[in-house]
Amino acid sequence: MMIREVENSLYKLRHIKEEGRKIAIETIKEIGKPQTDPSARVDRYLEYFTIGPQAMDPAGIVYKLDHILDVRDSRLKDEVKLMAPASDEVQTNNLENTLEAAMALNFIYKVVRHYYIQGKKTLSLYVILQLQMILPLVMKEAEAYASALKAFAFGQPIGDGAGPLVAAKLMHGYETRKVPKDCVVATVPIENRTALIIKAEGPGGNVGKPGDAVKAVIDENEGKIASVIMIDAGLKLEGEIVGEVADGIGAAIGGPGVDQYKIEEALLEYHIPINAIIVKEDIGDAVSPMRKEISDSADKVIERVKNVILERTKEGDKVIIVGVGNTIGIGQ
Amino acid sequence: MTQSTSAETTKISTYLMLIVLMVLALSIVALILAVSTFAENQPLATSLLIIGFIAMAIAAYTLFQSRRRAVSMKIVAPQVMTTIECRKCGFKSVREFQRGDFVFKDLEKCQKCDDKMMITAIYKEIKEKEKTYNV
């Protein structure tokens, strides 16, 4: 019974993974107009791996990891450009995100298959039992990635874009300039303060490097920043409502931790207070097309931002507002 | 993986289908036998009738379950909507998402005031209500 259940889920995972591969290839053919069949290159892409830095001597590990992630990013972007030569920058970013979702599906399938075969080979009920126990969560994640794949292929905003959506709403109509890396900043007057609003450059699928952007803006202003407000999508607990807004303190940013480290380091240098506002959603909502509740919550977040600015800063102060997340389908 | 594996997973297994059809055929045979032997040997006919019905029910259930599995494997793309607004007169319209749409994209002129319209939101609506637990 248990083995049958795992088997069924494995079949489903294989199907989802194959569908993901198919969607990725079709999108590349449609957008990138390659001269040759990209299937072989896509298969190679799906098997790419990244080796993290050695942690035996952890000093300086953040910058080592940052370097590895930079190399990975540029390598994958180059691959996409080779696969889809006719795609522009926005489409290249979207294709990269599509392929990364297909890569995640491929990885999930392979790991589940590994434990299933291992359990059968060793006749170990406990291996199968452990797999069966976590399968509902694994399947939920796989289904979320499958949904994300279509959103990325079409360039639709995803739930993770809650932060960039708020930032875009605040900065729309104001002049923007680029800041490192892949981010934009706009100077906007809010409640008699000067807000420097940062988000990843859209509308292509891109999270940018908010850590570098925040540091650059703080340095430009010689640390004379009254507060930093970070807006991000936050994972909700079961029972909480999707699109609910909550605020607190700390650097609201996910990922491998490099950007969070850089932001915290810059803030510590100048003793700048940091506030965070999150929009609650689950993992499925975060990577699938943006739900109406999340889109609607943007105005509530703006209200909260204004409240934080009024309560925590004085007139004439400068504040940094960062919209963290994937800006796919969101311009500025 | 090749394209053929994808096709394999989407359809119901041929072996399973064969077994189901065989069980179905045998159940029909059992029912016919039950009817024909009813007058001569009533206890045997009753047994055959029960066996026939049970076999038919099992075959139908297996077929139904397999079809349900095949249907549940499909990745369904949710319907995504795009809201377009005119900043000048406030005219608002909602249409299905089209590739190339993005929030704050300038579009064609407004039907009412001739000013440029803009995409203000892109979202998916979830119709079914989430199950609530009163805790």
Side-chain angles (χ1 to χ4, degrees):
Chain A
M1 179 86 170
M2 216 156 51
I3 292 179
R4 185 90 189 124
E5 209 176 303
V6 175
E7 248 173 30
N8 278 343
S9 299
L10 203 53
Y11 279 130
K12 193 170 179 182
L13 280 176
R14 186 172 74 178
H15 174 70
I16 294 175
K17 171 198 84 125
E18 286 298 327
E19 276 279 291
R21 176 184 174 273
K22 216 169 83 185
I23 292 169
I25 293 170
E26 276 167 11
T27 315
I28 289 169
K29 281 182 181 169
E30 200 183 325
I31 295 171
K33 314 256 181 309
Q35 302 289 321
T36 54
D37 184 19
S39 306
R41 208 173 258 276
V42 168
D43 288 337
R44 218 178 71 192
Y45 191 106
L46 297 183
E47 296 295 329
Y48 270 155
F49 57 87
T50 308
I51 302 168
Q54 179 51 254
M56 271 196 296
D57 178 14
I61 196 167
V62 174
Y63 292 96
K64 286 185 204 166
L65 179 61
D66 191 26
H67 172 66
I68 285 171
L69 292 175
D70 278 348
V71 174
R72 177 184 186 270
D73 191 45
S74 73
R75 169 93 188 262
L76 294 184
K77 254 195 190 105
D78 289 346
E79 279 288 335
V80 174
K81 275 176 194 157
L82 284 171
M83 275 188 248
S87 60
D88 57 29
E89 203 188 330
V90 171
Q91 288 165 336
T92 304
N93 284 341
N94 291 354
L95 284 175
E96 193 191 346
N97 282 200
T98 308
L99 283 162
E100 288 215 35
M103 203 193 264
L105 287 172
N106 188 44
F107 184 71
I108 292 172
Y109 166 71
K110 287 206 310 185
V111 172
V112 173
R113 184 182 62 178
H114 166 77
Y115 285 111
Y116 167 73
I117 295 173
Q118 201 177 51
K120 279 196 114 176
K121 259 187 185 173
T122 55
L123 294 174
S124 167
L125 180 69
Y126 298 105
V127 175
I128 301 283
L129 186 70
Q130 286 184 66
L131 189 58
Q132 194 253 354
M133 283 196 290
I134 59 157
L135 258 179
L137 301 175
V138 173
M139 293 308 290
K140 195 178 170 189
E141 199 166 333
E143 276 158 20
Y145 276 117
S147 188
L149 210 118
K150 294 213 165 178
F152 289 138
F154 295 133
Q156 295 164 342
I158 58 169
D160 186 44
L165 181 66
V166 173
K169 282 195 171 196
L170 287 170
M171 67 166 61
H172 184 67
Y174 292 91
E175 202 183 318
T176 60
R177 64 185 165 89
K178 289 189 182 193
V179 279
K181 190 195 166 199
D182 298 334
C183 288
V184 287
V185 62
T187 307
V188 179
I190 298 177
E191 307 289 349
N192 297 323
R193 280 84 167 164
T194 306
L196 300 151
I197 297 162
I198 300 169
K199 77 179 269 291
E201 192 177 8
N206 174 29
V207 289
K209 290 181 90 176
D212 291 343
V214 169
K215 191 175 180 344
V217 174
I218 290 175
D219 288 342
E220 273 172 23
N221 290 279
E222 293 157 346
K224 285 171 191 143
I225 300 291
S227 181
V228 173
I229 303 167
M230 296 188 75
I231 305 151
D232 195 8
L235 276 187
K236 78 174 185 77
L237 297 171
E238 288 296 345
E240 288 184 311
I241 301 161
V242 176
E244 206 175 76
V245 180
D247 60 283
I249 54 150
I253 186 165
V258 173
D259 287 289
Q260 187 176 357
Y261 177 88
K262 286 180 182 171
I263 291 168
E264 286 167 351
E265 216 182 29
L267 295 176
L268 186 67
E269 195 183 336
Y270 297 102
H271 297 282
I272 302 166
I274 181 154
N275 297 284
I277 298 174
I278 58 160
V279 178
K280 291 186 183 176
E281 50 195 82
D282 70 21
I283 178 75
D285 299 323
V287 294
S288 60
M290 189 180 278
R291 282 175 67 159
K292 193 169 191 307
E293 296 92 323
I294 300 169
S295 177
D296 291 345
S297 71
D299 294 327
K300 285 184 244 167
V301 176
I302 291 172
E303 280 310 305
R304 288 279 182 109
V305 169
K306 285 181 181 168
N307 280 345
V308 172
I309 291 174
L310 285 170
E311 288 164 9
R312 307 264 163 242
T313 61
K314 297 190 293 289
E315 280 194 19
D317 277 350
K318 275 184 182 173
V319 291
I320 294 177
I321 299 169
V322 197
V324 180
N326 194 323
T327 190
I328 189 163
I330 302 165
Q332 49 269 331
Chain B
M1 285 276 172
T2 54
Q3 294 283 339
S4 60
T5 52
S6 164
E8 269 170 33
T9 49
T10 51
K11 68 178 182 191
I12 303 159
S13 155
T14 325
Y15 295 114
L16 181 74
M17 195 58 135
L18 260 174
I19 292 165
V20 168
L21 287 177
M22 271 168 66
V23 172
L24 206 64
L26 286 172
S27 68
I28 291 167
V29 169
L31 289 175
I32 292 167
L33 275 174
V35 171
S36 60
T37 58
F38 193 75
E40 300 133 40
N41 193 345
Q42 214 169 330
L44 178 74
T46 315
S47 311
L48 283 171
L49 203 70
I50 293 166
I51 292 168
F53 274 122
I54 290 173
M56 197 176 261
I58 291 171
Y61 178 74
T62 314
L63 201 69
F64 172 72
Q65 283 296 319
S66 316
R67 279 192 64 83
R68 209 173 67 165
R69 203 179 81 189
V71 169
S72 72
M73 273 185 183
K74 282 189 181 140
I75 302 172
V76 186
Q79 197 181 31
V80 178
M81 308 308 292
T82 300
T83 304
I84 304 161
E85 268 182 74
C86 173
R87 284 269 155 142
K88 200 174 165 192
C89 70
F91 175 72
K92 198 172 170 181
S93 73
V94 179
R95 62 155 165 82
E96 230 176 282
F97 176 87
Q98 289 167 6
R99 187 170 263 177
D101 281 358
F102 64 86
V103 180
F104 296 124
K105 182 185 183 184
D106 285 327
L107 292 175
E108 70 279 3
K109 283 181 178 174
C110 173
Q111 300 166 13
K112 286 188 174 172
C113 69
D114 244 28
D115 202 51
K116 265 190 178 177
M117 292 185 72
M118 192 177 68
I119 295 176
T120 52
I122 298 171
Y123 55 83
K124 71 167 175 191
E125 252 178 310
I126 294 179
K127 294 278 189 297
E128 70 261 30
K129 268 197 145 187
E130 263 179 61
K131 198 178 170 187
T132 51
Y133 301 87
N134 295 322
V135 280

